[in-house]
Structure formats: C-alpha cells, structure tokens
Amino acid sequence: MDAMVRSGSDVTAPPARRWVALVVLALAQLTIALDATVVNVALPSAQAALGFPDVQRHWVITAYTTAFGGMLLLGGRVSDQLGRRRAFLVGLAGFGLASGLGALAPDLAVLAVARGLQGVFAALLAPTVLALLSVSFPDPRGRGRAFAVFGAVAGGGGAIGLVLGGLLAETVGWRGCLFVNVPIVGVTALGARYLPRAGGDTAGRRWDVPGALLVTTALVSVVAACSGAVPTAWAVGLLVVGGVLLAAFVRRESRAPAPLLPLRILADRVLVGACLTVALAVAGLLGAFLVLTYVLQVVLGFSPLDTGLAFLPLSAALFASAQVVGRVMARVAARVLVVPGLLVAAAGMLLLTRLTAQSTFLTDVLPAELLLGLGTGAVFTPVISLATARSPRQDVGVTAAVVSTAQQLGASIGVAVLNAVAAVATAVATTAAGPPTVDALVAGYTTAVGVAAGALVVAAVLAALLITTGRPTASAR
C-alpha cells in the first residue's frame, strides 16, 4: 500500500517539474532510439574494418534488438519492483558501460556481445521510461502533448541516429558511433532527480529469470532462423526450437507465482492489436533504414555523412506528423489516425521498389522518405499511448514492456528477414560469377522494400480489425 501511495505522488508533481521530467525521459528514449540505428550508416565501414561477410552483418543490429526484446518483460517487472528512478539509473549506467565495450571491440563476436549487453540494459530502461511517462501525464490533453514529444523522439531518433552515425563514421570512425552514448548517458543521469519518486514493491520481490531466459533464447533462435546465414535445414530446426521455447514460456507464465507476463494482459484484444501493429510497423521502418543505407552508399555513392543527412527529410516529416497527431489524438479514435498512417507509409515503401541503378535522390528517394515519415509519425504516438493507458497502475511497467517487446521483436525479425530477402534476391539476379553487379544489388534492395511495404499493409488491416476503441477518456488509474 505504501508503494501505491508513493506511486500516486507521481501525478501530483508540479506541472513545471513534469515537463522537465519529460525532457529527461525523452533524452533517455533518444539514447535507446539512436542505438537502434546509429551504427547502420557506419556498418559498411565496420564490416570492412572487422572483415565479416554480408550474411552476418545483421547481427550488429539484431544482437541489440533481440536481447532488448527478450529481456524487456523482465525489465518491466524489475522496474515495477525495484523502483522506477532506481531502475532508470541502473539501466543508464549499464547501457553506458556496454557502449564503451562495443567501441573497443576487436572483432564481430565482441561487438555482437557488447550490442547484446546494450540491449539487456535498454530492456530495463525502456519500460521504466514509458511507465514514468504514463503515470506522470494521466489526463488526455497533457498525455497527448507528452506522447507527441515522446513519439517524435522514439520514431525520429532512429533517423537522427543515422545522421549522427554518418557524421561520426566520417570524422572519428565507426567506433565513435558507440562511444557517443557514454556522454549522453552521463548528462541524462544528472537529470534523474526531476523524475517522479515512485517506490518499488520490494515486499514480494520475485524475478522470473528462467522465464526471461526462455523467451530470450526463443527470440534468438527465431532471428537466427530468419537471417539467411544458416542452411535451410538448420533454419527449420531453429524455428522449431524457437516455437517450443515460446510454448514453454507461456506454460511457465501460466503457473509462475510472479510471472513476467501475466497472461490476463493478453486477453485485451486492443492491446494485442496495438502490439502487432507496432511490431509490423517497426519491422518495415527499420528494414527500410538498413536497405536505404546500402542503396545510398553502394548504389548512389553517398559518403557516410551524406547518407546520414539524406535521412533528415524523413526525420523532419515524422516529427511534424507526430506533433499534429499528438494534438488531435485526444479527440479521435486511434485507428482513425493509425490505419491511414500505415497506408501512407506503405505507399512510400512502394515508391522505393521503383529504384534503379540510375535513380537519383531528389526524384526517387526523397518523395518516398517524406511519405514514410508522415505515415509512421501518425502510428507510434497513438498506438503506444493507447496501449499504456489501458493498464492498471500495478501493471504499467509490464504493459509498457509488452509494447516495447513487440517493437524490438518486429525490429529483430524485420531486419533479419529483409536482409536475407535482399541477399537472396541479389544472388538470384546475379548472372555472372564474381561480385554482384549494381543492377543485381538494386534488385535485391527493391525486393526487400516490397516485402516491407506488404508488412505495413498487413499492419493497417490488423489495426482496422483489432484497435476498435473510441475517443480517449481520462485515465482511471
């Protein structure tokens, strides 16, 4: 009860302090979002320096997103029980240390381990940030504005990471893309005193570590199967292993005294629809980031910095869209914004399927970027806000973790699948022995973005069928 009283103080903080806390939380979210993409632009440089093949390059990204997604449920529960400000600081510190390790990596193995550790600590940090934001802004008007900022940072941070990654890769080298997290983490930690003083439920602390290991191992198996880096027989075997482990996880959660994922949460059709929508949207968006990075550098001949700058229009469009949506989402049903947004983003993806070796940025890439930004900016803000608003106070952390898990699972599988699709399509289009031609590479890339467009259309259909709530109301929590 005492923890609940302290948690209730979250929403009684002075308005000015809440908005300062929002800045701190947005900076933490920016760190997480940056790390999903900041190494993308530098990936060709890192690949050349460390000498790993194309079929393994996705692990630099998916080691982070898979560990992130697999440990999020445990991170949400630890956040609820440890105390959110304390969990926030622990997550920041671990994230900074893992970033330093990655910056010093001598080979792909160490780099992948460091990226995995970043994902583990991000898994503690992300649900903590969402939970603190959710309880700090319970009224629809303030919540809409706060989540507009948060959604813009969460979505636009990926594009900003591409710009920053290009700048760092071209000036100090690819290792700077990881080391940059260290000072950002330090500055963010200084602002932790402005966060709500929410105590943890320490009386009955039980952390379901076996459950976390089951779901993480399952996700690693599925991502490895989808990567195209293993023979077909092994891929099928890994998918079977992943399915068995996921079934074992569900069985454990149905019987565990303190489950990572209370199965009652999944009885909410709207929450399930929100998670599926987010997963498919992120899969398409991050897959497009990976493909566009190689299109711009390999096909169009952009430098790393130019590549990063080329993503600025997408980031600006996403930010503008999120701000408009944040102002109106308190007055309309979520799917009125989400479904058209997904279809606009899918249209942007379809434009990219028309790329050729003779394409130019202004006529062929820029229009697609603008549609992608405008469309996805209308998706993440209302979906994430809706999902967390439906949770009872005692489940805010774990519900935020479920939503974030959907994001990271979508990112992991989406990037792995689209990378594999691009590699296979390139191989099919290559008619002569030796390195693939530019035309063959473009064929691979355009095939991958076509699959990404399909994922966004499926997400729109699911959102229309499952996200059936009306206009938002004030939180009862």
Side-chain angles (χ1 to χ4, degrees):
M1 177 65 70
D2 180 54
M4 290 296 291
V5 170
R6 288 195 299 271
S7 293
S9 67
D10 293 353
V11 298
T12 61
R17 188 178 182 92
R18 288 190 207 175
W19 291 103
V20 173
L22 173 61
V23 173
V24 176
L25 295 173
L27 189 57
Q29 179 60 33
L30 178 62
T31 305
I32 297 170
L34 283 176
D35 231 61
T37 58
V38 72
V39 299
N40 278 46
V41 175
L43 188 52
S45 300
Q47 184 177 356
L50 301 182
F52 50 86
D54 287 351
V55 293
Q56 294 181 2
R57 66 190 176 195
H58 74 90
W59 283 114
V60 179
I61 300 169
T62 55
Y64 174 76
T65 55
T66 304
F68 194 170
M71 298 300 291
L72 266 165
L73 294 172
L74 180 61
R77 185 58 70 193
V78 171
S79 173
D80 284 338
Q81 296 180 342
L82 187 64
R84 290 169 190 146
R85 182 187 288 189
R86 191 179 304 164
F88 182 84
L89 289 171
V90 171
L92 276 178
F95 193 88
L97 290 173
S99 298
L101 174 63
L104 301 174
D107 52 38
L108 177 61
V110 175
L111 179 58
V113 168
R115 293 283 286 164
L117 288 173
Q118 282 183 308
V120 169
F121 286 104
L124 176 59
L125 191 58
T128 303
V129 168
L130 263 180
L132 286 168
L133 185 63
S134 181
V135 300
S136 297
F137 295 90
D139 61 289
R141 185 178 179 85
R143 187 182 185 87
R145 291 179 178 178
F147 269 87
V149 174
F150 182 84
V153 171
I160 294 171
L162 293 166
V163 178
L164 183 60
L167 177 62
L168 292 171
E170 197 159 307
T171 53
V172 300
W174 67 268
R175 297 180 187 276
C177 297
L178 290 160
F179 186 77
V180 70
N181 291 320
V182 177
I184 296 176
V185 162
V187 171
T188 306
L190 293 176
R193 66 180 182 274
Y194 293 101
L195 299 179
R197 295 180 178 275
D201 180 16
T202 58
R205 181 184 299 168
R206 293 183 180 180
W207 296 343
D208 186 10
V209 175
L213 293 176
L214 279 173
V215 71
T216 303
T217 307
L219 293 182
V220 170
S221 298
V222 172
V223 171
C226 296
S227 68
V230 295
T232 301
W234 278 95
V236 173
L238 287 169
L239 282 175
V240 172
V241 169
V244 170
L245 290 174
L246 284 175
F249 170 73
V250 171
R251 179 179 175 83
R252 176 176 176 81
E253 298 310 284
S254 68
R255 300 184 175 190
L260 283 180
L261 176 59
L263 296 183
R264 66 179 183 275
I265 291 177
L266 299 183
D268 184 349
R269 185 181 71 170
V270 173
L271 176 61
V272 172
C275 289
L276 291 173
T277 299
V278 165
L280 288 168
V282 170
L285 186 61
L286 286 189
F289 279 173
L290 178 63
V291 170
L292 271 177
T293 297
Y294 278 85
V295 167
L296 292 170
Q297 291 192 42
V298 177
V299 178
L300 301 186
F302 282 29
S303 69
L305 178 57
D306 289 339
T307 300
L309 292 173
F311 281 97
L312 278 179
L314 190 157
S315 182
L318 192 152
F319 181 84
S321 177
Q323 296 309 301
V324 173
V325 167
R327 292 181 179 275
V328 303
M329 72 182 201
R331 300 193 293 272
V332 299
R335 67 176 171 177
V336 172
L337 300 169
V338 173
V339 174
L342 288 166
L343 294 177
V344 168
M349 290 287 194
L350 288 174
L351 287 182
L352 291 175
T353 64
R354 301 167 57 194
L355 289 173
T356 68
Q358 291 73 42
S359 294
T360 65
F361 176 76
L362 287 178
T363 60
D364 300 292
V365 176
L366 180 60
E369 283 194 7
L370 293 175
L371 289 176
L372 277 170
L374 292 172
T376 53
V379 175
F380 296 113
T381 300
V383 168
I384 294 174
S385 175
L386 173 66
T388 54
R390 297 174 64 83
S391 173
R393 180 178 296 278
Q394 67 271 19
D395 289 332
V396 168
V398 71
T399 302
V402 170
V403 177
S404 296
T405 297
Q407 288 180 278
Q408 299 309 317
L409 179 59
S412 299
I413 295 179
V415 169
V417 167
L418 293 179
N419 184 67
V421 167
V424 170
T426 297
V428 170
T430 300
T431 56
T437 64
V438 173
D439 288 334
L441 289 171
V442 172
Y445 299 148
T446 54
T447 302
V449 295
V451 173
L456 292 175
V457 171
V458 172
V461 172
L462 291 174
L465 294 175
L466 298 176
I467 304 178
T468 55
T469 56
R471 292 174 53 185
T473 59
S475 175
R477 291 182 284 110

